[in-house]
Amino acid sequence: MKGKYLVPILVIGAFIAAWPAWLGWQADRQLAAYQGGRVGDLTLAHSLESFDRGWFRSTATSRMEARLGPEAYRFAVHHRVHQGFDGVTVTSEPVYPPEAAERLRALFGERTPLSVTTRLGPLGDSAEIHVHSPAFSGMLPDNPGAHVQSAGLDGTFHVHAQRLDGQIHVPEFTLADGEGRLTLRGQVLELNLADPANRLPDARVEYRLDTLDATGPDGQAPVRVERLRVRSSQARNGEYLDLGFQMGFGAVTAAGWEASQGDMGLRLGPLHAGTFDALLRELEQVQGTRDGETTPGERARAVFLGYLPAFLSHSPELALDPVRVQMPRGGLELALGAGYDGRDLDSTPDDLARIRLTGRLQASRALAEELAGVISLQTMAGEGGAAVDPDTRRLLARPLGRGILKGLREEGYVRADGDTYRTDLRVEQGRLSINDVDRSEWLYLLLAGLIAPGGFN
């Protein structure tokens, strides 16, 4: 009876004993197979140089190239591999050039500035990635007058079936110099990418911030932002993409102004995905030019204008969802919508009759009067008048703004709607109407300014 079970027991024992070695071979194979990829606009190239395999622990060295636009950074990476019965864990640390390592040592001492720990799935198609940077404090090596302090950085990401999701958290970061002080608390960057190597599938990137505090020299001109959130997204629909952008905040205080709530959203689409990708690839090639040549901005503009007819041919629409801001004197709301009829588009994409535009601006009477007065005061100061201090602004703004709005109401550019002022505009079939009154002359004057030498362009 003992002999009957001896062979299976030996096979199972050998399998258990060889399991860590097999996992080490799997780690070697996966590191060698990984050639890099793309995360947004960041391109990574990877090659394995060596893998020294042990029974439970191994070490490896690889070469990385990170390319962002025209800039490329090349560096080595050391890996410590633990292969045990609980799976494979790879801890990776970049090897910095001597000059960069000296600067980092001034801030981090002998601690590792950045480490990445990857726990590989058993089949090689999934991973859990942890990113860590320790807390540090010190003077910036390249700017002795600037002091930086960070509570560290931690992030966790998951990769499965070509999908990447996760977040990075920075509890607190402060930068101070002779010009002022900036403190950011509760920063979170969250990613959800359907396919990190591809710029065209569904994707979402969100940034959140608990508080931002900024002051000038000696604590002057304080600025505070609370509960900021910014989200960028794209949704794939067949051959087309829809892009979205949302931003909101809980409170803002700056330059004597206060807002307790703010939200906005922007949507653009449909965009032909292949054309959009081609545009991005060509813009990546726009680099600095020598003296006497066009600037990168001019070259980028030329590239964009070259692709514009292709985008317009698919009749895209742009929608600015109501921008809502709540302030002590009331609320402000702005909404815009634009569309382009790209059917049978020929060589005249600037045909005004193809453009549709709707807009609405609405504000409480008290806030509208104050804003109109402030704009007028700032305009007068810009024409050679003295800058207006906050107390004088508060004293003069509303009476001045009340007179300006009275004139605009009489001319029909603003109308009263209960306790608010409101303006509606529409551009359709080459005509401009404001509050249902034809004002096309303003549209033609605007277009003349856009195309005249020395105009807006």
Side-chain angles (χ1 to χ4, degrees), residues 371-385:
L371 289 175
V374 168
I375 293 171
S376 180
L377 288 171
Q378 290 179 339
T379 301
M380 290 187 290
E383 293 175 350

Side-chain angles (χ1 to χ4, degrees), residues 387-407:
V388 180
D389 62 82
D391 291 335
T392 304
R393 186 195 72 191
R394 281 190 289 268
L395 180 65
L396 298 179
R398 285 199 65 186
L400 180 60
R402 192 175 297 118
I404 293 172
L405 286 170
K406 181 176 182 296

Side-chain angles (χ1 to χ4, degrees), residues 108 111-115 132-136 150-153:
F108 293 93
R111 294 170 298 170
T112 301
L114 179 68
S115 61
H132 175 73
S133 180
F136 65 89
S150 172
L153 175 154

